[in-house]
Amino acid sequence: SQQWVEESTKGHSLGDAYGYLWWRDRFPIGNERIDSFHAGGWGGPFIFVMTDLDLVLVFTGGNFDTDGDTPVYTRIRDYILPSIDW
């Protein structure tokens, strides 16, 4: 239900960074920051939802045993969001 989606994507722990099985992020786009929430698994499968942009991004996995910033975040931040005309 819409109520469950709203409740599960609110910050409930880790300083508002985690809801109920959803991580919360903010991405820069121009001079603004876009709220998003995502689910992810080992190796890099991700589902990102950015409601302000009516955007859902899905990535399949394969990035096993790496440290630091994943290529998914870099691609979203450096390529996908700058290409959106909103």
Side-chain angles (χ1 to χ4, degrees), residues 48-69:
F48 285 87
V49 179
M50 299 176 184
T51 57
D52 290 342
L53 299 176
D54 292 328
L55 180 66
V56 175
L57 301 169
V58 177
F59 298 88
T60 58
N63 187 35
F64 300 101
D65 298 323
T66 60
D67 294 324
D69 195 22

Side-chain angles (χ1 to χ4, degrees), residues 1 6 10 13-14 19 24 29-30 34-35 37-38 40-41 45 47 50-51 55 63-64 66 75-76 80:
S1 69
E6 290 171 3
K10 283 186 206 173
S13 66
L14 300 174
R24 297 162 37 91
I29 181 170
I34 299 299
D35 291 325
F37 54 91
H38 80 271
I47 302 169
M50 299 176 184
T51 57
L55 180 66
N63 187 35
F64 300 101
T66 60
R75 286 186 180 103
I76 292 171
I80 295 171

Side-chain angles (χ1 to χ4, degrees), residues 14-52:
L14 300 174
D16 281 348
Y18 192 67
Y20 299 144
L21 302 177
W22 293 98
W23 290 95
R24 297 162 37 91
D25 301 292
R26 299 191 88 203
F27 285 94
I29 181 170
N31 293 327
E32 312 233 2
R33 296 191 67 74
I34 299 299
D35 291 325
S36 73
F37 54 91
H38 80 271
W42 187 64
F46 288 99
I47 302 169
F48 285 87
V49 179
M50 299 176 184
T51 57
D52 290 342

